[in-house]
Structures are given as structure tokens and as C-alpha cells.
Amino acid sequence: MIFPGAGGGADWSFPSFSHRTGLVYVGYGLINSAYSNTHGGRVNTARPLGEYFAGGLAAVDPRTNTVAWRQEGDWSLAHGNGILSTAGGLLFQGRPDGVLTALDDRDGTELWTWQCGAGVNTSPLTYEIDGEQYVAVLAGGNGLPYPDIPKGDHLWAFKLGGRVGEAVAPVPPSRRNQIRAAAVTGDTARNTITLGRIWDGARNAPGTTENLVAQNAMSPQHLSIAKGTTVTFVNPADNRSAHGAVSFFEAEFDTGLLMPGQSFTYTFDTPGEYFYNDPVAPQNTGKVVVK
């Protein structure tokens, strides 16, 4: 595991230096990566499925290379979310959920927000016309690190006393690295998850060959069921390896290690989204969505 991730803490956002405070302001991301050298020799730096993405803003003293203050939040702010610092003591920075914020440069306290209608993955700027100051920003979205950042084509210019209203808030990106395989219903899968196999969409059935390399060797990888459904996790008798399914973060269930031919049942009584992985081949991740 690599933390804060293969993209680094501050990937490609523009930082800002304030002559007023003497601090450099940097947006950062906390997005783990996982190097794996699995059976079959495959090596990659996949972002683990199901992990939470996060990040924040740090104020760094360049004279001592120390952090003066830091504000952690729900969003990675290291992929184009540039910062503007002003002589009036404000920091302007956009977020992938479409919100432009104005912060106090002394401690990061949020003073003002504006919904721009699409991800703000650009750098705000300021200019003056006829003695009046403006702040402008483009909100168009982005594909990193969230593939579902809302897209658009919105150019905003702000001044004191402006009368234009905010945009309608778009659907924000998922804070987790989502499994995007199509949902398979419990009826289709017979309320069974077959471990170590990749779902065969053409047959609507588990694959016939064990897989210890892929991230999606749960059949199905995305199971959708109703509240109160009992699900069977099975390691087929013709698999060669032990397998399992362990829910992480929510800690909802743990099958333990299942040898070939063994199974485990669990009843899902609480609606939610439950990610789990295989302790034998931990890159292999699935999710159960309970409605």
C-alpha cells in the first residue's frame, strides 16, 4: 500500500503564495494506491476498490518547511483545484462537487460557498475593471481522481453586489472508489456469490475458471438484493485455493477462510452498500448493495 498514493499528496493543482502571511497554500489528496505482484506475474498500481478518497488544504511555511495549519475534508483537492490568495486575507478554491469556497487564510475557516454547477478543477483568478474587483473561475469538471465528477461548461465572474443566483447542485461524485460493474440481482445470481470466479455476463452465471489475479473475481462482483435476503458465499469444489469474503470499513460480515467446497451464509438486514475483499487475493473486491 502507498499513502497518500501513487499520484503524490499534491498532484497537479496550483498552489498559491501569500505575501500577506508568508505561507504557501497547497491542496492535497489522500488516495491510496496498491502495488501488487500477484500469481501470474501481474504488477500494477491499482487504486483499491471501495476505498474512501479524501484530502484537504495545507498552509506551509516555506522558510521552515513546516505545516502552519491544515484543514482535512471529504474531497481530494490535488487534481486541478488551484488556489487563489488575496491581499484581503481570502483563499478561493473549488471542489469536485461543484462548490467554490472562500476561506480565511489564517486558519482555513470557511467563510463563503457558491455552487458552480460542475466540478471546479481549475484555478480561480482575480482582476479589476474600472476600480471594481472581480473573481472568476471556470467550472467544467474533470476525470481525476473521481471518474464521476459532474461535467459542464460554466464560467463565473463574481463581484460585490452581484445578482446572479447559484447553479443547481449536480450529483456529487462518489467519495469511494466505486465498483462500476452492472448490478446483478439476487434472483439472477440465486442469492449466491461464487468466490474466485469472474462473472460471465453472456451466460449470467459464474465463470468456469478460478482467477487469483483480477480485481473482479467475485461472481457477481456487484450484487443487488432486498433487505432481509440471505446470501451464500461459496468456494467451488473445483477451485484449487482457499478464498473468503471480508467486509471492510463497515465490518458487516466475515466468512473466514473457505476451503474448496465450503460455503458461508449471511442475512443482510440493514440497507446500505457493503464492500468486501478476498483475504487470499486481496486485490479481488466486490460489493453487496442492500435496498
Side-chain angles (χ1 to χ4, degrees):
M1 296 294 294
I2 309 167
F3 184 80
D11 195 0
W12 49 270
S13 301
F14 286 102
S16 182
F17 173 75
S18 170
H19 294 274
R20 197 181 82 88
T21 64
L23 300 176
V24 176
Y25 300 95
V26 183
Y28 64 89
L30 302 175
I31 303 176
N32 294 346
S33 300
Y35 277 103
S36 63
N37 186 1
T38 61
H39 297 283
R42 175 183 171 185
V43 180
N44 60 34
T45 55
R47 290 171 177 164
L49 295 170
E51 72 162 313
Y52 284 97
F53 294 165
L57 178 67
V60 180
D61 187 333
R63 296 162 295 187
T64 60
N65 197 30
T66 57
V67 175
W69 56 260
R70 184 175 68 169
Q71 288 280 16
E72 286 200 4
D74 294 325
W75 302 108
S76 168
L77 298 176
H79 292 80
N81 312 97
I83 302 167
L84 167 69
S85 58
T86 72
L90 296 178
L91 303 173
F92 289 92
Q93 185 180 37
R95 304 191 316 221
D97 62 347
V99 174
L100 177 67
T101 60
L103 311 171
D104 190 320
D105 66 5
R106 295 170 298 183
D107 56 12
T109 300
E110 189 174 86
L111 304 174
W112 172 85
T113 64
W114 190 269
Q115 176 52 251
C116 295
V120 185
N121 296 89
T122 55
S123 296
L125 57 85
T126 186
Y127 56 93
E128 180 183 319
I129 298 179
D130 296 330
E132 193 164 27
Q133 184 179 13
Y134 293 80
V135 172
V137 72
L138 178 68
N142 189 17
L144 291 172
Y146 310 89
D148 52 352
I149 291 174
K151 307 299 191 296
D153 187 15
H154 307 278
L155 177 61
W156 294 89
F158 304 92
K159 70 173 185 175
L160 294 178
R163 297 180 180 178
V164 176
E166 298 180 56
V168 175
V171 176
S174 173
R175 291 188 173 96
R176 303 185 79 163
N177 189 19
Q178 276 294 330
I179 287 172
R180 303 186 185 277
V184 176
T185 65
D187 289 342
T188 300
R190 299 181 180 179
N191 295 328
T192 298
I193 294 174
T194 304
L195 304 175
R197 303 290 179 92
I198 297 174
W199 184 258
D200 186 339
R203 296 172 49 245
N204 267 340
T208 58
T209 305
E210 183 178 22
N211 189 300
L212 295 171
V213 176
Q215 286 186 291
N216 63 336
M218 306 282 192
S219 287
Q221 188 185 30
H222 177 185
L223 178 68
S224 176
I225 58 174
K227 173 184 173 182
T229 300
T230 297
V231 174
T232 300
F233 296 84
V234 62
N235 186 2
D238 54 346
N239 275 353
R240 299 180 62 184
S241 173
H243 289 280
V246 181
S247 171
F248 52 88
F249 294 132
E250 293 77 22
E252 181 73 9
F253 59 90
D254 184 347
T255 68
L257 281 181
L258 301 176
M259 301 306 293
Q262 293 184 327
S263 63
F264 173 91
T265 60
Y266 185 81
T267 301
F268 289 85
D269 291 323
T270 304
E273 182 181 58
Y274 302 101
F275 284 80
Y276 63 93
N277 67 343
D278 185 341
V280 174
Q283 78 282 351
N284 181 16
T285 307
K287 74 174 178 178
V288 178
V289 177
V290 183
K291 300 181 178 179

